[in-house]
Amino acid sequence: MSGRLSGPRFYKMLESNHAVVIYTKANCSACARAKATLGADPHSSTVENGLKIFEPRVASHSGVHLKDVIIVDLDLSSSVDSAEFDRLASISGRRTVPVCFINGNYVGGGDDMVRMGRDGTLLFKLAEAKSIEIEEAYEFVNKHGSPAMPPAPPSLESSSTPPNTSESLPPPPLHPAPVPLDYNALHSEIDSLILTESDLYANAANVSSAVYHSILKHRGPDGCNWCGFYFARRVVDSDSVILLLGPFQGKPACRRIRLSEGVCGAAARTREVQRVEDVHSFPGHIACDSASNSELVIPMLHPTTGELLGVFDLDCPTFGGYTEEDASELGKVCEKLCGVSVFPKERIEMGDIRH
Ligand code: SME
């Protein structure tokens, strides 16, 4: 019997039995970024069971020693076939490498690894996976700071002797709480923009701008990468309703979304707020911008009939980017918008969904 591992058995072993597993290809720049984030030495690979494996020793962004990290170059691994790659694609939702798992969970691609390295979430994910000691993560953050990290406990900031970290530190925050917005100021601004206007597009455009800039002002660019509206429209000669792109701030996005799809579809279908801390674990999430890691979608309903009018969608490059307060205060904004604006009734053609 050969030592070759293939198919589900191969991936199951890698995903679940190691702290970090990254599937890469040799000449891929996004893979190089993921490898570099973990400090993989390109000259230190070995071949085991037909898999070309790098074992990084030190995470380059922090100098912290890593344990149990496996990086597999798929194209240089003789035991990997296309069926196995299909399985990876079905987990990640895309047919590109790198595909990165921490603690058995899919965490994204190369840019996601770089961003998590920069904002401090990577260290805490590595600690959760037992690839590094939690004390090492705190030590690094206390020494160098990190934009996504909470302030160090006072006893550590003022102490010149090494802290007894296992006793004095609080449990690691998986998703550091976002800074609160000034909702009084935001509501006043939005009132002045929309209360004397009834055109939906003018109002929605100003609301998306006011909310987006308020988030950026308080949380910086990691607070929001897309903020805007999809409106519910009936389809010609059909009982279907689809979500049609409306005014927004951010990169171009998919124009039409079925109610059966994505976080937006879920909010529209259930008429419930969807506050998703990690979009990669939301089945069917539609990634309009690969920078998004969390999302808040608020359904908009007619104030008297309860009819679905659309959704207000916010994407965030940080995990756990939106709070319950955001959901409730932005829900009030949506109610106001629906109360003063006239929504178009004309049916539209189905068009090319998700293009
Ligand atoms: N992520 C959304 C799609 C819309 S974009 O984020 C702008 C979803 O899963 O429905």
Side-chain angles (χ1 to χ4, degrees), residues 197-211:
E197 175 59 67
S198 60
D199 185 88
L200 174 65
Y201 282 83
N203 284 341
N206 272 335
V207 168
S208 67
S209 172
V211 171

Side-chain angles (χ1 to χ4, degrees), residues 19-99:
V20 181
V21 180
I22 304 190
Y23 301 95
T24 57
K25 285 189 177 175
N27 295 317
C28 148
S29 57
C31 302
R33 289 198 289 282
K35 286 172 180 166
T37 303
L38 292 172
D41 173 357
H43 305 296
S44 74
S45 62
T46 55
V47 176
E48 290 168 30
N49 291 325
L51 300 176
K52 186 171 160 83
I53 291 179
F54 297 90
E55 290 206 38
R57 303 286 169 218
V58 171
S60 60
H61 66 285
S62 66
V64 172
H65 185 95
L66 295 172
K67 292 188 290 264
D68 202 18
V69 177
I70 304 285
I71 300 177
V72 180
D73 262 350
L74 290 168
D75 49 349
L76 300 180
S77 298
S78 59
S79 70
V80 176
D81 61 27
S82 65
E84 292 166 7
F85 191 71
D86 286 348
R87 187 175 122 67
L88 268 188
S90 75
I91 293 172
S92 67
R94 53 190 189 194
R95 299 194 65 81
T96 53
V97 284
V99 185

Side-chain angles (χ1 to χ4, degrees), residues 226 230 253 257 262-264 285-286 288 295 313 315:
W226 202 92
Y230 281 89
I257 299 177
V263 186
C264 291
H285 163 253
I286 303 164
C288 290
E295 184 160 359
D313 179 19
D315 291 317

